[in-house]
PDB file of all heavy atoms in Angstrom:
ATOM      1  N   SER A   1      -9.846 -30.180  15.157  1.00  0.00           N
ATOM      2  CA  SER A   1     -11.250 -30.370  15.541  1.00  0.00           C
ATOM      3  C   SER A   1     -11.693 -29.297  16.524  1.00  0.00           C
ATOM      4  O   SER A   1     -12.840 -28.821  16.471  1.00  0.00           O
ATOM      5  CB  SER A   1     -11.454 -31.755  16.151  1.00  0.00           C
ATOM      6  OG  SER A   1     -11.192 -32.763  15.189  1.00  0.00           O
ATOM      7  N   TRP A   2     -10.798 -28.921  17.414  1.00  0.00           N
ATOM      8  CA  TRP A   2     -11.109 -27.839  18.353  1.00  0.00           C
ATOM      9  C   TRP A   2     -11.361 -26.529  17.610  1.00  0.00           C
ATOM     10  O   TRP A   2     -12.316 -25.806  17.918  1.00  0.00           O
ATOM     11  CB  TRP A   2      -9.958 -27.682  19.348  1.00  0.00           C
ATOM     12  CG  TRP A   2     -10.097 -26.506  20.258  1.00  0.00           C
ATOM     13  CD1 TRP A   2     -10.923 -26.397  21.342  1.00  0.00           C
ATOM     14  CD2 TRP A   2      -9.380 -25.272  20.177  1.00  0.00           C
ATOM     15  NE1 TRP A   2     -10.775 -25.169  21.930  1.00  0.00           N
ATOM     16  CE2 TRP A   2      -9.826 -24.457  21.239  1.00  0.00           C
ATOM     17  CE3 TRP A   2      -8.404 -24.778  19.304  1.00  0.00           C
ATOM     18  CZ2 TRP A   2      -9.323 -23.166  21.453  1.00  0.00           C
ATOM     19  CZ3 TRP A   2      -7.901 -23.501  19.508  1.00  0.00           C
ATOM     20  CH2 TRP A   2      -8.362 -22.705  20.574  1.00  0.00           C
ATOM     21  N   VAL A   3     -10.518 -26.229  16.636  1.00  0.00           N
ATOM     22  CA  VAL A   3     -10.708 -25.007  15.842  1.00  0.00           C
ATOM     23  C   VAL A   3     -12.083 -25.010  15.180  1.00  0.00           C
ATOM     24  O   VAL A   3     -12.775 -23.984  15.144  1.00  0.00           O
ATOM     25  CB  VAL A   3      -9.590 -24.856  14.791  1.00  0.00           C
ATOM     26  CG1 VAL A   3      -9.905 -23.714  13.826  1.00  0.00           C
ATOM     27  CG2 VAL A   3      -8.248 -24.613  15.468  1.00  0.00           C
ATOM     28  N   GLU A   4     -12.493 -26.158  14.669  1.00  0.00           N
ATOM     29  CA  GLU A   4     -13.815 -26.241  14.045  1.00  0.00           C
ATOM     30  C   GLU A   4     -14.919 -25.945  15.055  1.00  0.00           C
ATOM     31  O   GLU A   4     -15.891 -25.246  14.750  1.00  0.00           O
ATOM     32  CB  GLU A   4     -14.015 -27.637  13.435  1.00  0.00           C
ATOM     33  CG  GLU A   4     -13.114 -27.940  12.250  1.00  0.00           C
ATOM     34  CD  GLU A   4     -13.444 -27.083  11.047  1.00  0.00           C
ATOM     35  OE1 GLU A   4     -14.599 -26.632  10.916  1.00  0.00           O
ATOM     36  OE2 GLU A   4     -12.537 -26.857  10.221  1.00  0.00           O
ATOM     37  N   ARG A   5     -14.783 -26.456  16.273  1.00  0.00           N
ATOM     38  CA  ARG A   5     -15.783 -26.194  17.305  1.00  0.00           C
ATOM     39  C   ARG A   5     -15.795 -24.721  17.696  1.00  0.00           C
ATOM     40  O   ARG A   5     -16.860 -24.116  17.881  1.00  0.00           O
ATOM     41  CB  ARG A   5     -15.523 -27.060  18.540  1.00  0.00           C
ATOM     42  CG  ARG A   5     -15.914 -28.506  18.374  1.00  0.00           C
ATOM     43  CD  ARG A   5     -15.977 -29.223  19.712  1.00  0.00           C
ATOM     44  NE  ARG A   5     -14.684 -29.233  20.386  1.00  0.00           N
ATOM     45  CZ  ARG A   5     -13.751 -30.166  20.189  1.00  0.00           C
ATOM     46  NH1 ARG A   5     -13.960 -31.150  19.322  1.00  0.00           N
ATOM     47  NH2 ARG A   5     -12.614 -30.117  20.852  1.00  0.00           N
ATOM     48  N   VAL A   6     -14.611 -24.146  17.847  1.00  0.00           N
ATOM     49  CA  VAL A   6     -14.513 -22.730  18.189  1.00  0.00           C
ATOM     50  C   VAL A   6     -15.169 -21.878  17.100  1.00  0.00           C
ATOM     51  O   VAL A   6     -15.905 -20.926  17.391  1.00  0.00           O
ATOM     52  CB  VAL A   6     -13.036 -22.331  18.386  1.00  0.00           C
ATOM     53  CG1 VAL A   6     -12.895 -20.825  18.527  1.00  0.00           C
ATOM     54  CG2 VAL A   6     -12.453 -23.030  19.606  1.00  0.00           C
ATOM     55  N   SER A   7     -14.912 -22.224  15.844  1.00  0.00           N
ATOM     56  CA  SER A   7     -15.486 -21.476  14.724  1.00  0.00           C
ATOM     57  C   SER A   7     -17.000 -21.571  14.719  1.00  0.00           C
ATOM     58  O   SER A   7     -17.701 -20.568  14.499  1.00  0.00           O
ATOM     59  CB  SER A   7     -14.924 -22.009  13.395  1.00  0.00           C
ATOM     60  OG  SER A   7     -13.517 -21.892  13.353  1.00  0.00           O
ATOM     61  N   ARG A   8     -17.531 -22.775  14.941  1.00  0.00           N
ATOM     62  CA  ARG A   8     -18.985 -22.938  14.983  1.00  0.00           C
ATOM     63  C   ARG A   8     -19.596 -22.145  16.131  1.00  0.00           C
ATOM     64  O   ARG A   8     -20.658 -21.525  15.985  1.00  0.00           O
ATOM     65  CB  ARG A   8     -19.356 -24.412  15.093  1.00  0.00           C
ATOM     66  CG  ARG A   8     -19.175 -25.204  13.814  1.00  0.00           C
ATOM     67  CD  ARG A   8     -19.900 -26.545  13.888  1.00  0.00           C
ATOM     68  NE  ARG A   8     -19.387 -27.380  14.962  1.00  0.00           N
ATOM     69  CZ  ARG A   8     -18.379 -28.226  14.825  1.00  0.00           C
ATOM     70  NH1 ARG A   8     -17.758 -28.337  13.664  1.00  0.00           N
ATOM     71  NH2 ARG A   8     -17.973 -28.969  15.846  1.00  0.00           N
ATOM     72  N   ALA A   9     -18.934 -22.165  17.278  1.00  0.00           N
ATOM     73  CA  ALA A   9     -19.446 -21.421  18.429  1.00  0.00           C
ATOM     74  C   ALA A   9     -19.514 -19.933  18.117  1.00  0.00           C
ATOM     75  O   ALA A   9     -20.477 -19.254  18.496  1.00  0.00           O
ATOM     76  CB  ALA A   9     -18.567 -21.678  19.649  1.00  0.00           C
ATOM     77  N   PHE A  10     -18.495 -19.415  17.427  1.00  0.00           N
ATOM     78  CA  PHE A  10     -18.543 -18.007  17.034  1.00  0.00           C
ATOM     79  C   PHE A  10     -19.707 -17.764  16.080  1.00  0.00           C
ATOM     80  O   PHE A  10     -20.478 -16.804  16.246  1.00  0.00           O
ATOM     81  CB  PHE A  10     -17.231 -17.586  16.371  1.00  0.00           C
ATOM     82  CG  PHE A  10     -17.217 -16.140  15.956  1.00  0.00           C
ATOM     83  CD1 PHE A  10     -16.698 -15.168  16.789  1.00  0.00           C
ATOM     84  CD2 PHE A  10     -17.741 -15.745  14.728  1.00  0.00           C
ATOM     85  CE1 PHE A  10     -16.706 -13.824  16.417  1.00  0.00           C
ATOM     86  CE2 PHE A  10     -17.754 -14.418  14.344  1.00  0.00           C
ATOM     87  CZ  PHE A  10     -17.229 -13.457  15.187  1.00  0.00           C
ATOM     88  N   ASP A  11     -19.842 -18.614  15.080  1.00  0.00           N
ATOM     89  CA  ASP A  11     -20.907 -18.429  14.087  1.00  0.00           C
ATOM     90  C   ASP A  11     -22.293 -18.466  14.729  1.00  0.00           C
ATOM     91  O   ASP A  11     -23.227 -17.823  14.230  1.00  0.00           O
ATOM     92  CB  ASP A  11     -20.810 -19.507  13.008  1.00  0.00           C
ATOM     93  CG  ASP A  11     -19.567 -19.365  12.140  1.00  0.00           C
ATOM     94  OD1 ASP A  11     -18.974 -18.262  12.121  1.00  0.00           O
ATOM     95  OD2 ASP A  11     -19.185 -20.355  11.491  1.00  0.00           O
ATOM     96  N   GLU A  12     -22.421 -19.209  15.815  1.00  0.00           N
ATOM     97  CA  GLU A  12     -23.710 -19.342  16.487  1.00  0.00           C
ATOM     98  C   GLU A  12     -23.903 -18.323  17.609  1.00  0.00           C
ATOM     99  O   GLU A  12     -24.957 -18.305  18.258  1.00  0.00           O
ATOM    100  CB  GLU A  12     -23.847 -20.761  17.061  1.00  0.00           C
ATOM    101  CG  GLU A  12     -23.883 -21.837  15.979  1.00  0.00           C
ATOM    102  CD  GLU A  12     -23.702 -23.244  16.539  1.00  0.00           C
ATOM    103  OE1 GLU A  12     -23.545 -23.375  17.776  1.00  0.00           O
ATOM    104  OE2 GLU A  12     -23.716 -24.199  15.727  1.00  0.00           O
ATOM    105  N   SER A  13     -22.908 -17.460  17.826  1.00  0.00           N
ATOM    106  CA  SER A  13     -22.954 -16.540  18.962  1.00  0.00           C
ATOM    107  C   SER A  13     -23.835 -15.322  18.724  1.00  0.00           C
ATOM    108  O   SER A  13     -24.193 -14.622  19.668  1.00  0.00           O
ATOM    109  CB  SER A  13     -21.531 -16.059  19.289  1.00  0.00           C
ATOM    110  OG  SER A  13     -21.037 -15.209  18.261  1.00  0.00           O
ATOM    111  N   GLY A  14     -24.137 -15.049  17.450  1.00  0.00           N
ATOM    112  CA  GLY A  14     -24.872 -13.837  17.126  1.00  0.00           C
ATOM    113  C   GLY A  14     -23.977 -12.640  16.868  1.00  0.00           C
ATOM    114  O   GLY A  14     -24.446 -11.591  16.423  1.00  0.00           O
ATOM    115  N   VAL A  15     -22.689 -12.773  17.136  1.00  0.00           N
ATOM    116  CA  VAL A  15     -21.724 -11.718  16.831  1.00  0.00           C
ATOM    117  C   VAL A  15     -21.417 -11.783  15.343  1.00  0.00           C
ATOM    118  O   VAL A  15     -21.106 -12.852  14.813  1.00  0.00           O
ATOM    119  CB  VAL A  15     -20.439 -11.892  17.658  1.00  0.00           C
ATOM    120  CG1 VAL A  15     -19.373 -10.888  17.229  1.00  0.00           C
ATOM    121  CG2 VAL A  15     -20.752 -11.744  19.136  1.00  0.00           C
ATOM    122  N   ASP A  16     -21.511 -10.648  14.654  1.00  0.00           N
ATOM    123  CA  ASP A  16     -21.356 -10.672  13.200  1.00  0.00           C
ATOM    124  C   ASP A  16     -20.165  -9.875  12.689  1.00  0.00           C
ATOM    125  O   ASP A  16     -20.020  -9.694  11.472  1.00  0.00           O
ATOM    126  CB  ASP A  16     -22.637 -10.181  12.520  1.00  0.00           C
ATOM    127  CG  ASP A  16     -23.039  -8.772  12.943  1.00  0.00           C
ATOM    128  OD1 ASP A  16     -22.250  -8.118  13.657  1.00  0.00           O
ATOM    129  OD2 ASP A  16     -24.141  -8.332  12.569  1.00  0.00           O
ATOM    130  N   SER A  17     -19.306  -9.393  13.577  1.00  0.00           N
ATOM    131  CA  SER A  17     -18.127  -8.665  13.115  1.00  0.00           C
ATOM    132  C   SER A  17     -17.043  -8.738  14.184  1.00  0.00           C
ATOM    133  O   SER A  17     -17.311  -8.998  15.360  1.00  0.00           O
ATOM    134  CB  SER A  17     -18.464  -7.201  12.820  1.00  0.00           C
ATOM    135  OG  SER A  17     -18.883  -6.529  14.001  1.00  0.00           O
ATOM    136  N   THR A  18     -15.820  -8.525  13.736  1.00  0.00           N
ATOM    137  CA  THR A  18     -14.691  -8.490  14.672  1.00  0.00           C
ATOM    138  C   THR A  18     -13.910  -7.207  14.452  1.00  0.00           C
ATOM    139  O   THR A  18     -13.836  -6.717  13.323  1.00  0.00           O
ATOM    140  CB  THR A  18     -13.772  -9.713  14.454  1.00  0.00           C
ATOM    141  OG1 THR A  18     -13.295  -9.738  13.103  1.00  0.00           O
ATOM    142  CG2 THR A  18     -14.499 -11.002  14.775  1.00  0.00           C
ATOM    143  N   PRO A  19     -13.327  -6.651  15.514  1.00  0.00           N
ATOM    144  CA  PRO A  19     -13.447  -7.120  16.896  1.00  0.00           C
ATOM    145  C   PRO A  19     -14.770  -6.684  17.525  1.00  0.00           C
ATOM    146  O   PRO A  19     -15.283  -5.607  17.228  1.00  0.00           O
ATOM    147  CB  PRO A  19     -12.276  -6.432  17.589  1.00  0.00           C
ATOM    148  CG  PRO A  19     -12.125  -5.136  16.851  1.00  0.00           C
ATOM    149  CD  PRO A  19     -12.438  -5.467  15.411  1.00  0.00           C
ATOM    150  N   THR A  20     -15.297  -7.539  18.367  1.00  0.00           N
ATOM    151  CA  THR A  20     -16.427  -7.198  19.215  1.00  0.00           C
ATOM    152  C   THR A  20     -16.009  -7.470  20.652  1.00  0.00           C
ATOM    153  O   THR A  20     -15.404  -8.502  20.936  1.00  0.00           O
ATOM    154  CB  THR A  20     -17.673  -8.037  18.861  1.00  0.00           C
ATOM    155  OG1 THR A  20     -18.150  -7.629  17.580  1.00  0.00           O
ATOM    156  CG2 THR A  20     -18.777  -7.855  19.892  1.00  0.00           C
ATOM    157  N   VAL A  21     -16.317  -6.534  21.528  1.00  0.00           N
ATOM    158  CA  VAL A  21     -15.921  -6.660  22.932  1.00  0.00           C
ATOM    159  C   VAL A  21     -17.138  -6.405  23.813  1.00  0.00           C
ATOM    160  O   VAL A  21     -17.895  -5.452  23.572  1.00  0.00           O
ATOM    161  CB  VAL A  21     -14.781  -5.673  23.286  1.00  0.00           C
ATOM    162  CG1 VAL A  21     -14.471  -5.700  24.780  1.00  0.00           C
ATOM    163  CG2 VAL A  21     -13.532  -5.994  22.477  1.00  0.00           C
ATOM    164  N   ARG A  22     -17.306  -7.251  24.809  1.00  0.00           N
ATOM    165  CA  ARG A  22     -18.380  -7.087  25.781  1.00  0.00           C
ATOM    166  C   ARG A  22     -17.787  -7.161  27.180  1.00  0.00           C
ATOM    167  O   ARG A  22     -16.906  -7.976  27.443  1.00  0.00           O
ATOM    168  CB  ARG A  22     -19.447  -8.175  25.609  1.00  0.00           C
ATOM    169  CG  ARG A  22     -20.143  -8.130  24.259  1.00  0.00           C
ATOM    170  CD  ARG A  22     -21.200  -9.226  24.127  1.00  0.00           C
ATOM    171  NE  ARG A  22     -22.259  -9.075  25.101  1.00  0.00           N
ATOM    172  CZ  ARG A  22     -23.323  -8.288  24.957  1.00  0.00           C
ATOM    173  NH1 ARG A  22     -23.466  -7.585  23.845  1.00  0.00           N
ATOM    174  NH2 ARG A  22     -24.240  -8.201  25.896  1.00  0.00           N
ATOM    175  N   PHE A  23     -18.272  -6.285  28.052  1.00  0.00           N
ATOM    176  CA  PHE A  23     -17.797  -6.233  29.423  1.00  0.00           C
ATOM    177  C   PHE A  23     -19.000  -6.289  30.353  1.00  0.00           C
ATOM    178  O   PHE A  23     -19.913  -5.474  30.240  1.00  0.00           O
ATOM    179  CB  PHE A  23     -17.004  -4.947  29.671  1.00  0.00           C
ATOM    180  CG  PHE A  23     -16.372  -4.860  31.034  1.00  0.00           C
ATOM    181  CD1 PHE A  23     -15.492  -5.835  31.476  1.00  0.00           C
ATOM    182  CD2 PHE A  23     -16.649  -3.781  31.865  1.00  0.00           C
ATOM    183  CE1 PHE A  23     -14.895  -5.743  32.725  1.00  0.00           C
ATOM    184  CE2 PHE A  23     -16.059  -3.690  33.110  1.00  0.00           C
ATOM    185  CZ  PHE A  23     -15.180  -4.667  33.543  1.00  0.00           C
ATOM    186  N   ALA A  24     -18.973  -7.270  31.243  1.00  0.00           N
ATOM    187  CA  ALA A  24     -20.108  -7.457  32.147  1.00  0.00           C
ATOM    188  C   ALA A  24     -21.403  -7.549  31.346  1.00  0.00           C
ATOM    189  O   ALA A  24     -22.426  -6.962  31.712  1.00  0.00           O
ATOM    190  CB  ALA A  24     -20.175  -6.328  33.175  1.00  0.00           C
ATOM    191  N   ASP A  25     -21.321  -8.270  30.217  1.00  0.00           N
ATOM    192  CA  ASP A  25     -22.468  -8.532  29.338  1.00  0.00           C
ATOM    193  C   ASP A  25     -22.976  -7.292  28.608  1.00  0.00           C
ATOM    194  O   ASP A  25     -24.084  -7.298  28.060  1.00  0.00           O
ATOM    195  CB  ASP A  25     -23.630  -9.170  30.108  1.00  0.00           C
ATOM    196  CG  ASP A  25     -23.305 -10.578  30.567  1.00  0.00           C
ATOM    197  OD1 ASP A  25     -22.603 -11.291  29.821  1.00  0.00           O
ATOM    198  OD2 ASP A  25     -23.742 -10.960  31.660  1.00  0.00           O
ATOM    199  N   ARG A  26     -22.168  -6.251  28.539  1.00  0.00           N
ATOM    200  CA  ARG A  26     -22.568  -5.038  27.814  1.00  0.00           C
ATOM    201  C   ARG A  26     -21.506  -4.705  26.772  1.00  0.00           C
ATOM    202  O   ARG A  26     -20.305  -4.890  27.015  1.00  0.00           O
ATOM    203  CB  ARG A  26     -22.754  -3.866  28.776  1.00  0.00           C
ATOM    204  CG  ARG A  26     -23.887  -4.075  29.780  1.00  0.00           C
ATOM    205  CD  ARG A  26     -23.961  -2.950  30.785  1.00  0.00           C
ATOM    206  NE  ARG A  26     -24.192  -1.654  30.136  1.00  0.00           N
ATOM    207  CZ  ARG A  26     -24.164  -0.496  30.793  1.00  0.00           C
ATOM    208  NH1 ARG A  26     -23.883  -0.471  32.089  1.00  0.00           N
ATOM    209  NH2 ARG A  26     -24.406   0.641  30.151  1.00  0.00           N
ATOM    210  N   PRO A  27     -21.928  -4.211  25.588  1.00  0.00           N
ATOM    211  CA  PRO A  27     -20.952  -3.914  24.530  1.00  0.00           C
ATOM    212  C   PRO A  27     -20.060  -2.732  24.893  1.00  0.00           C
ATOM    213  O   PRO A  27     -20.502  -1.774  25.523  1.00  0.00           O
ATOM    214  CB  PRO A  27     -21.837  -3.591  23.319  1.00  0.00           C
ATOM    215  CG  PRO A  27     -23.137  -3.152  23.905  1.00  0.00           C
ATOM    216  CD  PRO A  27     -23.309  -3.930  25.172  1.00  0.00           C
ATOM    217  N   VAL A  28     -18.811  -2.841  24.492  1.00  0.00           N
ATOM    218  CA  VAL A  28     -17.835  -1.771  24.687  1.00  0.00           C
ATOM    219  C   VAL A  28     -17.132  -1.538  23.357  1.00  0.00           C
ATOM    220  O   VAL A  28     -16.551  -2.467  22.783  1.00  0.00           O
ATOM    221  CB  VAL A  28     -16.792  -2.136  25.763  1.00  0.00           C
ATOM    222  CG1 VAL A  28     -15.734  -1.042  25.877  1.00  0.00           C
ATOM    223  CG2 VAL A  28     -17.460  -2.377  27.103  1.00  0.00           C
ATOM    224  N   HIS A  29     -17.167  -0.321  22.859  1.00  0.00           N
ATOM    225  CA  HIS A  29     -16.478  -0.007  21.606  1.00  0.00           C
ATOM    226  C   HIS A  29     -14.975   0.099  21.856  1.00  0.00           C
ATOM    227  O   HIS A  29     -14.536   0.721  22.827  1.00  0.00           O
ATOM    228  CB  HIS A  29     -17.006   1.299  21.017  1.00  0.00           C
ATOM    229  CG  HIS A  29     -18.432   1.233  20.577  1.00  0.00           C
ATOM    230  ND1 HIS A  29     -18.855   0.441  19.529  1.00  0.00           N
ATOM    231  CD2 HIS A  29     -19.542   1.838  21.060  1.00  0.00           C
ATOM    232  CE1 HIS A  29     -20.156   0.568  19.377  1.00  0.00           C
ATOM    233  NE2 HIS A  29     -20.610   1.406  20.287  1.00  0.00           N
ATOM    234  N   VAL A  30     -14.216  -0.515  20.962  1.00  0.00           N
ATOM    235  CA  VAL A  30     -12.754  -0.446  21.056  1.00  0.00           C
ATOM    236  C   VAL A  30     -12.153   0.298  19.869  1.00  0.00           C
ATOM    237  O   VAL A  30     -10.957   0.577  19.856  1.00  0.00           O
ATOM    238  CB  VAL A  30     -12.135  -1.858  21.155  1.00  0.00           C
ATOM    239  CG1 VAL A  30     -12.503  -2.502  22.487  1.00  0.00           C
ATOM    240  CG2 VAL A  30     -12.566  -2.738  19.997  1.00  0.00           C
ATOM    241  N   LEU A  31     -12.983   0.615  18.881  1.00  0.00           N
ATOM    242  CA  LEU A  31     -12.555   1.376  17.712  1.00  0.00           C
ATOM    243  C   LEU A  31     -13.418   2.628  17.592  1.00  0.00           C
ATOM    244  O   LEU A  31     -14.595   2.627  17.977  1.00  0.00           O
ATOM    245  CB  LEU A  31     -12.705   0.543  16.429  1.00  0.00           C
ATOM    246  CG  LEU A  31     -12.003  -0.818  16.382  1.00  0.00           C
ATOM    247  CD1 LEU A  31     -12.351  -1.527  15.082  1.00  0.00           C
ATOM    248  CD2 LEU A  31     -10.497  -0.664  16.513  1.00  0.00           C
ATOM    249  N   ASP A  32     -12.839   3.685  17.032  1.00  0.00           N
ATOM    250  CA  ASP A  32     -13.632   4.886  16.794  1.00  0.00           C
ATOM    251  C   ASP A  32     -14.335   4.794  15.437  1.00  0.00           C
ATOM    252  O   ASP A  32     -14.256   3.759  14.752  1.00  0.00           O
ATOM    253  CB  ASP A  32     -12.771   6.146  16.897  1.00  0.00           C
ATOM    254  CG  ASP A  32     -11.670   6.222  15.830  1.00  0.00           C
ATOM    255  OD1 ASP A  32     -11.772   5.532  14.785  1.00  0.00           O
ATOM    256  OD2 ASP A  32     -10.703   6.979  16.035  1.00  0.00           O
ATOM    257  N   ARG A  33     -15.006   5.829  15.039  1.00  0.00           N
ATOM    258  CA  ARG A  33     -15.789   5.792  13.801  1.00  0.00           C
ATOM    259  C   ARG A  33     -14.933   5.603  12.563  1.00  0.00           C
ATOM    260  O   ARG A  33     -15.419   5.158  11.523  1.00  0.00           O
ATOM    261  CB  ARG A  33     -16.611   7.080  13.677  1.00  0.00           C
ATOM    262  CG  ARG A  33     -17.710   7.214  14.734  1.00  0.00           C
ATOM    263  CD  ARG A  33     -18.488   8.489  14.548  1.00  0.00           C
ATOM    264  NE  ARG A  33     -19.556   8.617  15.543  1.00  0.00           N
ATOM    265  CZ  ARG A  33     -20.371   9.661  15.609  1.00  0.00           C
ATOM    266  NH1 ARG A  33     -20.240  10.673  14.757  1.00  0.00           N
ATOM    267  NH2 ARG A  33     -21.301   9.698  16.544  1.00  0.00           N
ATOM    268  N   ASP A  34     -13.653   5.954  12.660  1.00  0.00           N
ATOM    269  CA  ASP A  34     -12.741   5.786  11.523  1.00  0.00           C
ATOM    270  C   ASP A  34     -12.014   4.446  11.551  1.00  0.00           C
ATOM    271  O   ASP A  34     -11.147   4.199  10.714  1.00  0.00           O
ATOM    272  CB  ASP A  34     -11.721   6.928  11.504  1.00  0.00           C
ATOM    273  CG  ASP A  34     -12.378   8.286  11.278  1.00  0.00           C
ATOM    274  OD1 ASP A  34     -13.324   8.352  10.467  1.00  0.00           O
ATOM    275  OD2 ASP A  34     -11.945   9.264  11.923  1.00  0.00           O
ATOM    276  N   GLY A  35     -12.353   3.600  12.504  1.00  0.00           N
ATOM    277  CA  GLY A  35     -11.732   2.286  12.582  1.00  0.00           C
ATOM    278  C   GLY A  35     -10.398   2.254  13.296  1.00  0.00           C
ATOM    279  O   GLY A  35      -9.687   1.252  13.234  1.00  0.00           O
ATOM    280  N   HIS A  36     -10.076   3.338  13.993  1.00  0.00           N
ATOM    281  CA  HIS A  36      -8.825   3.366  14.759  1.00  0.00           C
ATOM    282  C   HIS A  36      -9.103   2.964  16.204  1.00  0.00           C
ATOM    283  O   HIS A  36     -10.154   3.280  16.763  1.00  0.00           O
ATOM    284  CB  HIS A  36      -8.208   4.765  14.716  1.00  0.00           C
ATOM    285  CG  HIS A  36      -7.880   5.230  13.330  1.00  0.00           C
ATOM    286  ND1 HIS A  36      -6.960   4.586  12.537  1.00  0.00           N
ATOM    287  CD2 HIS A  36      -8.375   6.253  12.591  1.00  0.00           C
ATOM    288  CE1 HIS A  36      -6.887   5.203  11.357  1.00  0.00           C
ATOM    289  NE2 HIS A  36      -7.739   6.212  11.374  1.00  0.00           N
TER     290      HIS A  36
END
């Protein structure tokens, strides 16, 4: 049941891809243009 809640929270977060990283409420890229 917890997994279901976590999944719903992600779906409702507005984030549409993984990985996504934010620091101090600002996006930070962790991959380069080639996906590395």
Side-chain angles (χ1 to χ4, degrees):
S1 296
W2 173 76
V3 171
E4 293 293 334
R5 285 195 298 273
V6 171
S7 301
R8 286 195 299 271
F10 181 94
D11 292 341
E12 295 167 0
S13 69
V15 174
D16 58 7
S17 63
T18 58
T20 291
V21 174
R22 297 180 62 84
F23 185 57
D25 292 324
R26 296 175 60 187
V28 176
H29 294 294
V30 292
L31 304 176
D32 64 20
R33 293 181 179 179
D34 296 321
H36 300 297

